[in-house]
Amino acid sequence: MSPLMLRVEGRVFKDSKNREVTLRGINVAGGAKFPSSPNIPSHIADKFFEADTLSFSDRPFPLDEAHEHLGRLKRYGYNTIRYVFTWEAIEHVRPGDYDEAWIDHTIAILRLAKEYGFMVFMDPHQDVWSRFTGGSGAPIWTLYACGLNPEKFDVTEAALVQNTWPDPSRFPKMIWATNYTRLACQTVFTLFNAGRDFAPKAIIDGINIQDYLQGHFIAACKHLAQRIHDSEDLENEVVIGWESMNEPNRGFVGLADLTAVPTEQKLQMGTSPTAWQAMLAGSGRSCELETWAFGNMGPYKSGSTLVDPKGESAWLPADYDDSRYRWRRDPGWKLGECLWAQHGLWDPSNDRLLKKHYFAKHPKTGRKLDYEEFTNSYFMEYYRRHSEAIKSVHKQSIMFIQPPVWEVPPSLKGTKDEDPNMVYSPHFYDGVTLMTKRWNRYWNVDVFGLLRGRYYGPPFAIKVGETAIRNSFRDQMIAMIKEGTDYLGVHPCVFTEIGIPYDMDDTYAYRTGDYTSQALAMDANHYGLEGSGANGFTLWVYMATNNHAKGDLWNGEDLSIYSVDDRPLPLTPTPASPDDKPSTSTDPSSPAYSQSRSSETSKVSPSNIKATLSTPPITSEPSTDSLDTDNKPGFRAAEAYVRPSPIATAGKVTSYSFDLKNCTFTFCIDAAAAAKEEAPTEIFLPEFHFPRDHTDVEVSSGKWTISIDEPDRGMIQKLRWWHGAGKQNMTIRGVMRRQGMALGQEEEGGYLDRCQQTRCLVM
């Protein structure tokens, strides 16, 4: 058996040469949330409910475009992909009927990702359960299985869905996330996690709805894992692991009082029903609901409005034909009536609430069900089933465990559930910027500290000034990593989602090309990541068809680092030098031993020319844009996310950071032994910031070289460092400039264009 591409060793990742690996990754891709045939992004109503005859077979992007997208991500220095897919993509027709064409396409994309040297972990993605409850994830038949009628969610407000909004172009920003606290999503997650305890009458095909939903979801993931395994050349060679489920939710479980909005519910926007009001509206009753808006200081009550479904119900009618999906519903589960009424929570004959504390305690044991108890019981029951299924196929799979967002992880430390091959994978978002779509340099909020009770109230959690804000991001991530260690044990931590909205300031950047706000926000997030000591991240998100008009084509979000309407970052900001020799520092008697001012352009050889000619270039014509950025699209703040980073370290990474303003990278390590000749420390060094003839390198010991190498398809510039043992440090200084300036040929111009700029040794 060949050595593993990546393995977990305590708190760090190690490669086959025993070097510490830092995951620098990206979520691929946002388009995986909706079908490709027909193409139904979230603002399209046509054929929305024709959900059994669709296909995701061109997601995340068509195969003939894959080289373009993977090549771009490779040039940006990413080495890891969080591969986004949905349950709906696999099993949309009916339970147990898998879309093998989509799986074939997935395997083909994974093979190409292997050619580019990516490490991939699979992300079974969901947002608020399903496209039909306002997000992404599960197929439509799961809602029918739960007795719900998605075609009535709009009038009952059981879910707010952009596709069915009266004017999808005016769908309120970020309101989709409030579906986590609306009837449809809360009901289905309750059934998925705890149906046996809270809905014992919900029996389908002889088993409880909890086992039915979990069983099919886990079986679908296992089937995909089996197909990857059977491909023989992907498992452990490109696919390194699996995540548990994106952003799981508890539903109603643990809700103390159905008549009150829980104090821990921080997001309120638009109508904000209590669970009891949601049940009434879901059964056709009119309700006066509070309305909320999001201001500079967070959510605030803006008034009230009447929601009147006029007798329409979010539940399936009594005459619904279950034979459509070939299941058998138990006679004790009546259609045409609220499932929760059938379990005695309320009486539809007089609309009287009978059990307002129904979900507050475990119905059998009487245990109080707060979020921590939910995570340690119901979530862990699901996680064990998921992990066992994946590992029955992919035995060496790294398991990325993701508890509910912002919640305390389960207590696994020192228990049989503490898997040595486990990684903590929380998410971090700057909520103020995400909700307001503005980079506020003056104040922000320590959300994590506020949620953990470290302040007397929200005013005390406010951080004033850009330095304090940046430090707060770092400190929140440090605290999240520590919490993971305290509860899960000593394991790596990878932030599998972090990102910024690009349509800030009322799309000012799209009109002017000035991406200053985006660059500052992106840089602040990376500053937090670098200072936290995390083992890596996967930025949210890459979207192959993002455009200025519709963003990510999903719920008004616009977080993609790439857009078809923006120019790519230049590959190098300075003209090429005729000297293509690698930059090195090898003579201890020379001042260049610890400092140099040159680097290498790509060497041309028969092998890399062949590799290049075997794949299409990103653009067929070289760029003819002038260096003037006036009235032209900008680089989408790429200078802030295309940044230097350790790749493989012959020792322990103690710290690293990139000062974007001064274009200075600092790196400190502790090496038990000197770096071996065949296994030096490697750093991704983007040419945009560190071009040849404009780079200073200072090291505490050893020799180094900067080169662009064939193993990376001649795409990325690396610094290799053969250092001594003990504590070592390095400082690299590049080109300082005003952010967003265009300085040279764009990176999409094609590899052969670059060859023409250098002295060609072969051609």
Side-chain angles (χ1 to χ4, degrees):
M1 181 183 295
S2 60
L4 293 175
M5 184 182 196
L6 191 76
R7 71 180 192 277
V8 175
E9 188 174 292
R11 190 183 295 278
V12 300
F13 297 107
K14 291 291 187 74
D15 66 8
S16 60
K17 297 179 180 179
N18 207 38
R19 296 176 296 182
E20 181 179 336
V21 175
T22 302
L23 303 191
R24 175 176 159 76
I26 185 78
N27 280 264
V28 176
K33 293 185 177 187
F34 53 86
S36 57
S37 180
N39 182 35
I40 309 178
S42 67
H43 63 280
I44 300 297
D46 187 43
K47 299 183 179 180
F48 179 58
F49 290 111
E50 297 176 21
D52 305 337
T53 57
L54 47 78
S55 171
F56 286 72
S57 60
D58 273 347
R59 301 297 186 215
F61 30 69
L63 192 61
D64 60 2
E65 297 176 7
H67 282 292
E68 171 186 344
H69 301 298
L70 294 174
R72 180 179 293 124
L73 294 173
K74 187 71 175 181
R75 289 181 178 93
Y76 288 171
Y78 294 115
N79 62 5
T80 305
I81 288 173
R82 184 186 188 225
Y83 197 96
V84 179
F85 73 94
T86 64
W87 182 6
E88 185 184 12
I90 305 177
E91 198 177 5
H92 51 82
V93 175
R94 65 178 63 87
D97 191 338
Y98 301 135
D99 189 337
E100 301 296 344
W102 174 82
I103 296 176
D104 290 341
H105 178 78
T106 299
I107 288 172
I109 296 291
L110 291 173
R111 283 204 171 101
L112 288 180
K114 178 183 176 181
E115 288 185 27
Y116 282 85
F118 286 108
M119 296 172 284
V120 175
F121 63 95
M122 307 301 291
D123 163 36
H125 203 87
Q126 73 80 36
D127 306 276
V128 297
W129 185 258
S130 170
R131 287 193 300 129
F132 309 96
T133 50
S136 67
I140 197 171
W141 59 257
T142 61
L143 297 169
Y144 296 131
C146 292
L148 290 162
N149 184 0
E151 295 191 42
K152 299 299 182 182
F153 289 170
D154 55 348
V155 68
T156 59
E157 293 203 3
L160 304 183
V161 182
Q162 187 184 14
N163 303 76
T164 59
W165 198 255
D167 181 357
S169 67
R170 300 181 67 83
F171 191 64
K173 61 185 180 183
M174 292 305 298
I175 202 169
W176 70 265
T178 68
N179 285 312
Y180 276 119
T181 54
R182 298 182 188 273
L183 177 66
C185 183
Q186 286 190 298
T187 292
V188 181
F189 265 114
T190 302
L191 299 180
F192 181 87
N193 291 310
R196 288 196 303 269
D197 291 333
F198 290 102
K201 294 181 180 180
I203 303 297
I204 193 165
D205 280 354
I207 58 176
N208 186 267
I209 189 67
Q210 174 183 344
D211 299 304
Y212 188 82
L213 292 174
Q214 284 195 23
H216 276 286
F217 176 62
I218 292 170
C221 291
K222 181 179 178 180
H223 180 74
L224 176 58
Q226 185 68 56
R227 286 290 312 276
I228 292 171
H229 174 83
D230 293 343
S231 298
E232 297 185 348
D233 60 340
L234 298 176
E235 193 176 276
N236 300 323
E237 297 181 44
V238 58
V239 178
I240 60 170
W242 282 71
E243 202 162 16
S244 47
M245 174 196 280
N246 183 68
E247 299 185 352
N249 190 268
R250 65 177 175 173
F252 289 126
V253 177
L255 196 61
D257 184 349
L258 295 179
T259 65
V261 173
T263 56
E264 64 267 23
Q265 182 180 320
K266 302 303 180 185
L267 178 60
Q268 290 180 273
M269 184 182 296
T271 54
S272 184
T274 65
W276 169 228
Q277 289 173 323
M279 290 180 187
L280 286 172
S283 291
R285 277 62 163 181
S286 63
C287 293
E288 186 79 19
L289 304 182
E290 291 184 354
T291 58
W292 286 66
F294 198 93
N296 287 334
M297 299 302 292
Y300 66 92
K301 183 180 176 181
S302 59
S304 64
T305 190
L306 181 69
V307 174
D308 185 3
K310 301 185 185 305
E312 299 279 10
S313 175
W315 300 94
L316 286 173
D319 60 355
Y320 176 78
D321 184 7
D322 273 330
S323 66
R324 176 181 179 183
Y325 292 107
R326 303 177 184 173
W327 57 53
R328 183 177 56 83
R329 197 180 304 269
D330 190 86
W333 184 355
K334 301 176 183 177
L335 295 181
E337 183 179 339
C338 172
L339 179 62
W340 303 119
Q342 294 179 57
H343 285 86
L345 275 73
W346 65 289
D347 185 349
S349 67
N350 56 21
D351 293 349
R352 182 168 158 234
L353 181 62
L354 304 175
K355 298 178 181 179
K356 72 175 184 177
H357 305 301
Y358 183 72
F359 298 104
K361 295 181 180 180
H362 194 290
K364 296 176 182 176
T365 67
R367 293 194 318 270
K368 181 182 177 182
L369 285 173
D370 57 14
Y371 229 129
E372 193 166 349
E373 177 63 26
F374 165 81
T375 302
N376 281 284
S377 55
Y378 294 109
F379 169 77
M380 278 307 300
E381 181 182 352
Y382 158 73
Y383 177 75
R384 290 185 195 103
R385 292 183 66 184
H386 173 83
S387 179
E388 288 169 5
I390 296 301
K391 289 201 165 188
S392 70
V393 177
H394 186 172
K395 300 189 185 304
Q396 295 166 309
S397 174
I398 297 171
M399 298 306 300
F400 291 76
I401 183 170
Q402 186 186 150
V405 177
W406 293 110
E407 298 300 329
V408 174
S411 298
L412 307 187
K413 188 176 181 178
T415 72
K416 64 179 181 180
D417 289 314
E418 188 185 354
D419 180 356
N421 223 25
M422 182 171 64
V423 174
Y424 181 37
S425 56
H427 292 176
F428 179 88
Y429 283 102
D430 165 17
V432 173
T433 301
L434 195 64
M435 297 301 297
T436 64
K437 295 200 176 186
R438 281 175 169 76
W439 171 244
N440 189 327
R441 301 173 63 177
Y442 303 104
W443 67 270
N444 207 294
V445 178
D446 177 0
V447 174
F448 186 78
L450 190 62
L451 291 173
R452 294 299 181 268
R454 295 172 185 168
Y455 301 97
Y456 289 113
F460 297 95
I462 294 175
K463 303 298 178 181
V464 179
E466 196 160 16
T467 297
I469 292 168
R470 289 162 62 89
N471 289 340
S472 176
F473 290 176
R474 178 200 62 199
D475 295 344
Q476 288 180 71
M477 293 184 214
I478 289 173
M480 293 171 76
I481 294 169
K482 182 180 184 302
E483 185 175 78
T485 301
D486 292 343
Y487 283 86
L488 298 175
V490 178
H491 301 278
C493 176
V494 175
F495 287 90
T496 55
E497 282 190 27
I498 182 171
I500 66 162
Y502 275 88
D503 54 341
M504 292 187 196
D505 308 319
D506 298 320
T507 66
Y508 176 79
Y510 296 168
R511 290 178 277 113
T512 65
D514 181 356
Y515 281 84
T516 300
S517 291
Q518 290 83 351
L520 291 170
M522 183 67 79
D523 184 52
N525 278 266
H526 278 82
Y527 172 84
L529 286 166
E530 292 163 358
S532 71
N535 303 91
F537 67 91
T538 49
L539 196 67
W540 186 268
V541 61
Y542 184 84
M543 175 66 181
T545 53
N546 174 286
N547 61 71
H548 288 179
K550 297 294 184 183
D552 297 337
L553 308 179
W554 185 83
N555 280 329
E557 286 199 347
D558 192 355
L559 283 80
S560 175
I561 64 168
Y562 169 76
S563 174
V564 297
D565 291 331
D566 284 306
R567 289 190 298 165
L569 194 70
L571 181 65
T572 176
T574 58
S577 164
D579 181 8
D580 68 346
K581 295 180 180 179
S583 168
T584 60
S585 176
T586 58
D587 181 2
S589 64
S590 168
Y593 184 75
S594 295
Q595 181 168 331
S596 177
R597 285 189 170 275
S598 64
S599 62
E600 182 194 11
T601 61
S602 136
K603 287 188 177 181
V604 182
S605 69
S607 59
N608 62 26
I609 289 177
K610 181 179 179 181
T612 302
L613 295 178
S614 68
T615 62
I618 291 179
T619 59
S620 58
E621 298 294 333
S623 169
T624 57
D625 290 338
S626 72
L627 304 188
D628 183 10
T629 61
D630 293 343
N631 302 315
K632 296 178 182 178
F635 297 137
R636 207 167 173 84
E639 64 268 31
Y641 62 78
V642 179
R643 55 203 290 132
S645 172
I647 300 171
T649 303
K652 177 184 177 182
V653 176
T654 56
S655 69
Y656 73 95
S657 65
F658 177 52
D659 179 346
L660 176 60
K661 181 179 179 180
N662 295 303
C663 200
T664 301
F665 178 71
T666 56
F667 183 37
C668 299
I669 67 173
D670 192 350
K676 297 178 180 178
E677 186 65 27
E678 70 278 9
T681 289
E682 296 184 358
I683 299 166
F684 166 60
L685 204 63
E687 291 176 273
F688 178 79
H689 294 297
F690 301 96
R692 115 192 57 160
D693 300 328
H694 291 80
T695 296
D696 294 339
V697 180
E698 298 177 4
V699 297
S700 55
S701 72
K703 62 182 181 180
W704 54 266
T705 183
I706 298 174
S707 60
I708 298 175
D709 304 302
E710 294 175 25
D712 297 302
R713 287 178 163 251
M715 288 184 171
I716 66 172
Q717 177 174 265
K718 286 183 182 179
L719 184 148
R720 289 178 173 83
W721 181 20
W722 292 266
H723 48 74
K727 297 183 186 300
Q728 306 291 336
N729 59 77
M730 167 179 280
T731 301
I732 310 174
R733 296 180 180 87
V735 176
M736 291 189 295
R737 67 178 68 86
R738 183 177 66 82
Q739 294 174 9
M741 288 190 67
L743 296 173
Q745 176 163 346
E746 298 179 12
E747 58 95 9
E748 312 268 359
Y751 186 83
L752 292 180
D753 293 333
R754 297 188 57 215
C755 295
Q756 294 168 4
Q757 296 179 6
T758 64
R759 187 180 66 194
C760 181
L761 301 181
V762 175
M763 292 177 65

